[in-house]
Amino acid sequence: MRPSPFLFLAAFAALFFAASCSKQDVTPASARPVAVRLEAVSTSTEAVPIYATGLLSRKTEADLSFRIGGIIEEIGVRVGDAVKQGDVLARLRQDEIEAQVSQARSALDKARRDLGRVERLRAGNVATLENLQDATTAAELSAAVLRIAEFNRAHSVIAAPADGRILRRLAEPDEQVASGRSILSFASDADGWIVRAGLAENDLACVRIGDAAEIHSGENGDPTALGEISRISEAADPATRTTEIEVKLVKPPEGGRSGYVVRMLLRPGMVAERPVVPATALVEGTDKQAFIYIADQSATTARRLSVEIDQINGERVYLRTQLPRGTRVVTRGAEFLRDGLAIEAAKE
């Protein structure tokens, strides 16, 4: 049996009516303002703290060695020993050294005797001027050789250059050592303690000599020592592309040791006033550029704005782009907005 034409007409009318109702329902909904949360933009002259990792040490640390080679006779200190300036720390066997001094002294005595004879002969017109000059030169050379021998003898003993401590013992008695080989590692107490750290280019641009620093070596988060930046290197490390800074501590951290790795918090001085917005206000950020939505004066329309980011510290974003005072930024609901779209501030 063929279907009735009236059934087709009824079905078509029902579909048209449903579509019309659907269109009428969507259109008013799309015109409704988007509910958003607004926050006033603040300003700050506060600099973002910089976190770094550095090595703790005394400011003056040196490897001590003998001026000449020889056999070690004694080393009178151990690692960790406290020493006073002038204390004898180590010495070489003196047999060969004393023989060299004696040899040089005898050669000088002979050269002086020869010079005296030539001077007398020259006075009697027996010796020539050249003979006198040669004898004088020989005496001067012998005196220089004696000074070298006595200098080497004086530096065949290692003495403490200042009050301090022994960090490392790098040789033992009866060892044959070459000239300049490190025997003891010494740290002076006179010049205090420092922390050396490398900073990346962006962080380095924010710090200055005299900026405060906190040293954290414990797990409870409290600073164990305070200090300030005392030196900034003029050259970057070619391998790491970081620049070394030196922080001088007011006093050493309790239980600190040279070579400890410590966490450091640098607090740069104040900077020029700049806007601060919550991190939730940023949309579609790339590198240092991002977009935010700000509300007009009546808080009924959202305007899309491109901004340049200066620094980010947790949930606070510092902008280089200046914003008028009183500007309100969208911090919730920005993902649903377009430029010029109607908004409505949500009630908290």
Side-chain angles (χ1 to χ4, degrees):
M1 186 177 67
R2 298 179 59 186
S4 171
F6 294 103
L7 293 176
F8 284 108
L9 290 174
F12 180 80
L15 289 173
F16 180 81
F17 180 77
S20 299
C21 292
S22 176
K23 185 176 180 180
Q24 290 175 357
D25 290 341
V26 170
T27 301
S30 62
R32 287 200 298 266
V34 178
V36 297
R37 179 180 178 183
L38 299 176
E39 288 189 26
V41 175
S42 61
T43 59
S44 174
T45 57
E46 176 185 47
V48 176
I50 297 172
Y51 296 89
T53 300
L55 287 178
L56 177 67
S57 68
R58 293 170 178 83
K59 182 174 178 59
T60 303
E61 296 185 1
D63 288 339
L64 307 181
S65 60
F66 295 112
R67 168 66 179 78
I68 58 175
I71 299 175
I72 299 177
E73 182 176 35
E74 66 170 335
I75 300 178
V77 290
R78 291 284 179 183
V79 173
D81 286 353
V83 296
K84 296 292 185 181
Q85 183 175 6
D87 287 352
V88 174
L89 310 179
R91 71 173 73 245
L92 294 175
R93 290 184 182 174
Q94 301 294 304
D95 306 55
E96 181 181 4
I97 299 169
E98 289 293 349
Q100 291 173 348
V101 172
S102 178
Q103 182 182 29
R105 184 175 290 114
S106 297
L108 176 60
D109 291 343
K110 179 181 180 302
R112 285 173 175 171
R113 290 195 302 271
D114 292 342
L115 176 60
R117 283 194 298 269
V118 173
E119 287 175 340
R120 290 191 296 272
L121 292 174
R122 175 61 179 166
N125 294 322
V126 176
T128 65
L129 177 60
E130 183 180 0
N131 296 143
L132 178 60
Q133 291 173 337
D134 290 345
T136 302
T137 299
E140 291 174 350
L141 289 175
S142 297
V145 171
L146 178 59
R147 288 197 300 272
I148 292 173
E150 290 175 340
F151 180 83
N152 289 339
R153 179 177 64 181
H155 288 79
S156 66
V157 174
I158 297 178
D163 294 352
R165 288 187 177 273
I166 304 301
L167 300 182
R168 288 176 290 276
R169 175 167 160 157
L170 306 172
E172 295 297 331
D174 297 324
E175 283 190 36
Q176 173 72 42
V177 294
S179 171
R181 175 187 162 183
S182 297
I183 305 301
L184 296 168
S185 184
F186 168 83
S188 171
D189 290 333
D191 298 324
W193 290 70
I194 60 172
V195 175
R196 293 187 177 95
L199 294 186
E201 183 178 348
N202 290 340
D203 290 337
L204 187 70
C206 300
V207 299
R208 300 289 184 272
I209 291 178
D211 285 348
E214 298 175 2
I215 307 304
H216 297 258
S217 57
E219 298 298 331
N220 57 2
D222 296 331
T224 56
L226 302 176
E228 64 178 30
I229 298 176
S230 58
R231 186 183 64 84
I232 300 176
S233 176
E234 290 295 329
D237 187 316
T240 62
R241 308 308 304 167
T242 60
T243 302
E244 184 181 82
I245 66 166
E246 184 178 286
V247 173
K248 185 176 182 180
L249 304 185
V250 176
K251 62 179 182 179
E254 185 176 352
R257 297 286 186 273
S258 290
Y260 272 15
V261 176
V262 297
R263 293 175 292 110
M264 186 162 53
L265 178 63
L266 305 175
R267 297 192 178 278
M270 291 191 301
V271 298
E273 188 175 71
R274 52 190 176 171
V276 184
V277 300
T280 54
L282 301 183
V283 293
E284 300 180 22
T286 58
D287 193 20
K288 289 291 186 178
Q289 296 291 329
F291 290 94
I292 62 174
Y293 283 96
I294 63 175
D296 61 359
Q297 291 185 351
S298 60
T300 58
T301 305
R303 184 163 67 90
R304 182 183 172 95
L305 182 66
S306 175
V307 293
E308 185 177 5
I309 298 172
D310 189 9
Q311 290 178 298
I312 298 177
N313 183 27
E315 294 299 318
R316 290 165 61 85
V317 179
Y318 298 81
L319 304 180
R320 290 181 182 174
T321 304
Q322 295 299 318
L323 300 176
R325 290 188 179 275
T327 299
R328 287 182 290 178
V329 63
V330 176
T331 60
R332 189 175 64 195
E335 63 272 19
F336 304 113
L337 296 179
R338 297 189 308 275
D339 190 28
L341 203 63
I343 59 174
E344 180 182 26
K347 297 181 179 179
E348 298 295 335

